[in-house]
Structures are given as C-alpha cells and as structure tokens.
Amino acid sequence: MGNSPGNTYKLDKLTELNEELENYFSNTIIPQLFVDGDMILRKFTPAAMTHFKLSDSDVGRHIDEVSNNIRFPTIIENIHEVIGSNKSLEKEIQTTDNVWYQMNILPYIVRRENRSNGVIITFIDINDRIQILKGYERLNRNHEVVIHALYHDIKGPMSNIEALVNIMDEAMGEGGNSEAEAKEVMEMLKLSVAKLRETVEDLVDIGEAEMDFANATERVNFGNVIEDAILSLKDKITESEAKITSEIREAEIGIPRKTIRSIIYNLLGNAIKYRSPERLPEVLIRTERANDTVVLTVRDNGMGILEDKKEAIFARYTRLRDDVEGSGIGLFIVKNMVEDTGGRIEVESTVGEGSTFRVYFRQNPTQK
C-alpha cells in the first residue's frame, strides 16, 4: 500500500528537518550534547567531541557512561532536574580540569504532549572571563592588604627613628655627647630613614604587573631579606635581648620581594612581641625545600597560642592579648599574601612553650 501525498509530504518534511539538525550540529563551533529522555546520548557537535574527547562510539551510550569525559560531577542531577521541571537551567560551572563554562540545559519539548523528551546541553567557554574577574578580585584584595601592610610595616622603622631622635635630644640637653657618638647616631638615623623609604616603596608599588593579574616574581635571597627584617626590628630585638638564629637550607625563592619581606617581618616581629616574660626570646628562622615546595619556618619560645585561637589569629583585627601593643592585622596580612602566591600557612603552638609558623610556597622543583 503506497504512501498518500500527505504522508509523503510529512516524511519529506521530517527528513528535511533532520538534515537541517544534522547540518547545524556538524557546523556549530559550540560544544553541544543532545541527551534523550532515557538519558541516552543521541548526538553531539564536533566541538563537544574535541572538548570532551568523545567519539562516534559514544552515541547511543547512557550519559552516565560518558559523564567522566565531561568532568562536571553534578551533570546527571542537572539533566534530571530539567527533564522533570520542563524548565531550562543556566549556571557557571568549573569542570574537574579547572576550566570554566557557562552551561545551559534546555528541555527538548514534545509539543503534542507538553513534556520533555530530553535536553540540549550547551557549553560556552568563559574561562578567560572568570580569570579576569578573579584577577580584579585579587587586585582589590592586594590593595587592601597593601594598605594594612603599609600601616603595619612602617611602624618598625618609625620606632627606630623616634628612638634615635630621642637619644639625640637627650644628648643635646646634657651636652655630653662626643662628635663621634653624634655621628654614629646620625648614621643610624639615616639608615633607618632609608629603610623606611624602602619599605614604603615596596608596599605601595603595586605596578603594572598586577594589573595583568600576575605578580612579578624575582629570585629573592632569603638571607638578605632576613637581615633586612632584623635591621628594621633592631630596636625591639635590642630591647628584648632576643637571640635570632637562621638556618638557610634553601637560599632563594621565586616570589615578589615585598611579599616575602612582609611575611618574614611580621612573623619575626610577632615572635618578639609575644615573648615569654619568664625567659629571653629565642627565634629560629629556617628555609628548606620539600619537592616542589619551599618551606619557611619561624619558631619561637614565647607565650604560645591557645588551641581555640589558632584559626582566629589569621582574621583581621584579632589580638591575642590586650596588654601587648598591636593592631591585630599582622597575621591577616601574612595569610593573604601567602595564599595569593598559591601557598598556605600553618601554626603549631603550646601555651607556655612557644609557637612554630610554617609557610609553604609552591615552587617549580627545577627552578633554582
């Protein structure tokens, strides 16, 4: 029995629509998947084949069998949600290989029955956009940290200058200082001013590199930076009679100089600030490499930190003791700077015995 003209027309029209759909799927540059109501992968674009390493043999397979290729853990749940609700779903996702997409899941509606018989899933690569947004977030955070650090880090050199000016005032009042002693104080004053200028320049020099959202790294010598921090804290070290020891097992690190300087300055300053009243402070600063990580350790014999305060000390404006001078932003600054390099900071402490801070910087193991 032959087809009627009406049936022939419908068949031709269906074939034409199918060819158009095939042509669309074959030529679009956007990764797209067509999954039917039984969760079977029926079709995908060449772009999806490339992005998700699919092959022709994946057509006809359950989507659960190829979901690992897509590398987005909740895609199965999202498809079920759209099919069940007949409503489209749009969300920004990050696949397990750290690529960001805008994922749109549209219900494939059977008009006669007004129900979903599958979904069309579209993936738009927004990785560059997300990285730019993250860059601006990091830039804003860096500006905030630099403002705090500017206030915090200049107090050491300022204290040195203030102490030296007081010495000169007292000497001039007594009239007993020799010219040699006056020259010595003046040289120390000049050095403190120079250090203050260097500190300010380090902290406020955000530079064009950060506008490109990539901190300009350089090969920084740990010994030089430690010596710099000790010199900036010289008055506090002298006053407390602190003994500072360094063990440089890893001599250099690839990191912005102002970052490592501020980290060491803050950790060393805290070790002296929170010293035990029962003994003279002793601080060990050690650097070493562990595979692709450079570890900076600052260990003291100070008052120690209560167990329930170990996390809180990294929050802004947290102060452990009201009787110790400070603004409570030092470790907040350190934590932000460390995390901006992709590293982490940990603390071990026993009340009455001391604290050990370890900073882990990720480094290329072949980079020396």
Side-chain angles (χ1 to χ4, degrees):
M1 182 176 176
N3 287 328
S4 67
N7 287 339
T8 300
Y9 173 78
K10 289 179 180 178
L11 183 60
D12 289 344
K13 194 66 177 175
L14 184 61
T15 302
E16 181 183 341
L17 290 172
N18 188 60
E19 288 177 351
E20 288 179 356
L21 184 61
E22 288 284 355
N23 186 58
Y24 169 77
F25 264 81
S26 297
N27 290 285
T28 182
I29 61 173
I30 299 173
Q32 285 186 309
L33 310 173
F34 174 39
V35 180
D36 70 15
D38 295 321
M39 303 295 285
I40 302 300
L41 180 60
R42 292 299 180 189
K43 200 178 294 294
F44 49 79
T45 62
M49 179 183 290
T50 301
H51 273 273
F52 303 124
K53 296 182 174 60
L54 299 171
S55 65
D56 291 334
S57 63
D58 291 318
V59 174
R61 298 175 66 187
H62 194 282
I63 189 64
D64 192 38
E65 297 178 38
V66 296
S67 61
N68 286 339
N69 294 62
I70 300 170
R71 301 182 294 278
F72 180 59
T74 65
I75 190 168
I76 306 296
E77 290 86 343
N78 294 151
I79 294 172
H80 281 301
E81 178 184 341
V82 171
I83 292 177
S85 66
N86 274 3
K87 294 181 180 179
S88 61
L89 173 68
E90 178 180 313
K91 64 194 298 187
E92 292 180 352
I93 67 169
Q94 186 179 31
T95 54
T96 54
D97 55 352
N98 297 320
V99 178
W100 282 92
Y101 295 94
Q102 178 179 304
M103 181 179 71
N104 296 289
I105 305 181
L106 303 175
Y108 186 79
I109 305 294
V110 179
R111 298 297 177 188
R112 290 173 301 176
E113 304 173 17
N114 192 30
R115 66 177 179 86
S116 297
N117 192 31
V119 294
I120 301 288
I121 312 172
T122 301
F123 298 88
I124 300 174
D125 189 335
I126 57 171
N127 206 57
D128 288 345
R129 188 181 81 189
I130 293 295
Q131 295 309 318
I132 289 172
L133 288 174
K134 285 188 172 182
Y136 276 113
E137 290 172 2
R138 186 166 63 250
L139 183 64
N140 288 336
R141 187 168 65 251
N142 283 350
H143 274 86
E144 181 181 1
V145 170
V146 166
I147 290 170
H148 286 302
L150 180 61
Y151 164 72
H152 191 267
D153 283 13
I154 64 175
K155 290 197 298 181
M158 286 287 288
S159 296
N160 281 342
I161 293 172
E162 185 178 24
L164 291 169
V165 169
N166 288 336
I167 291 172
M168 291 188 70
D169 280 344
E170 290 174 6
M172 290 175 65
E174 295 171 2
N177 249 29
S178 68
E179 184 177 345
E181 290 173 332
K183 278 188 175 182
E184 183 181 356
V185 172
M186 184 60 70
E187 288 302 316
M188 292 173 66
L189 186 58
K190 287 179 179 177
L191 185 59
S192 291
V193 170
K195 283 297 174 186
L196 177 60
R197 179 186 297 276
E198 182 180 330
T199 300
V200 172
E201 288 175 351
D202 279 348
L203 292 171
V204 300
D205 185 19
I206 300 297
E208 293 182 359
E210 285 188 345
M211 287 303 295
D212 293 331
F213 312 123
N215 287 323
T217 60
E218 54 186 302
R219 298 308 301 174
V220 180
N221 183 279
F222 272 118
N224 291 343
V225 178
I226 293 170
E227 183 181 351
D228 183 6
I230 291 173
L231 186 57
S232 295
L233 292 163
K234 186 176 181 180
D235 63 322
K236 297 186 183 302
I237 293 172
T238 301
E239 176 192 350
S240 64
E241 299 182 63
K243 178 183 177 183
I244 313 298
T245 307
S246 59
E247 295 179 3
I248 310 298
R249 300 174 185 175
E250 181 69 15
E252 294 185 334
I253 186 172
I255 201 171
R257 183 182 180 279
K258 68 175 183 293
T259 297
I260 192 63
R261 181 205 176 279
S262 192
I263 291 169
I264 292 175
Y265 175 90
N266 277 286
L267 292 178
L268 178 57
N270 278 354
I272 298 169
K273 182 188 300 182
Y274 295 101
R275 60 188 180 270
S276 170
E278 300 174 1
R279 53 187 172 271
L280 294 179
E282 295 183 2
V283 184
L284 170 66
I285 305 174
R286 183 172 62 235
T287 66
E288 57 195 325
R289 179 177 286 272
N291 298 321
D292 63 344
T293 303
V294 173
V295 185
L296 166 69
T297 301
V298 179
R299 186 177 71 214
D300 64 58
N301 64 341
M303 293 184 292
I305 304 166
L306 291 169
E307 188 66 30
D308 61 355
K309 295 289 187 181
K310 288 182 181 177
E311 291 296 326
I313 59 173
F314 296 107
R316 191 188 308 177
Y317 304 130
T318 297
R319 296 183 60 190
L320 295 180
R321 297 175 63 101
D322 292 334
D323 58 342
V324 177
E325 178 189 358
S327 58
I329 62 171
L331 289 175
F332 166 76
I333 293 169
V334 169
K335 185 173 187 289
N336 275 271
M337 288 185 166
V338 170
E339 290 179 350
D340 273 347
T341 70
R344 71 184 193 279
I345 181 169
E346 298 176 352
V347 60
E348 295 177 3
S349 187
T350 302
V351 174
E353 295 183 13
S355 304
T356 300
F357 287 85
R358 292 187 181 88
V359 183
Y360 298 85
F361 299 99
R362 290 191 62 80
Q363 296 281 290
N364 184 339
T366 62
Q367 189 177 31
K368 285 286 185 180

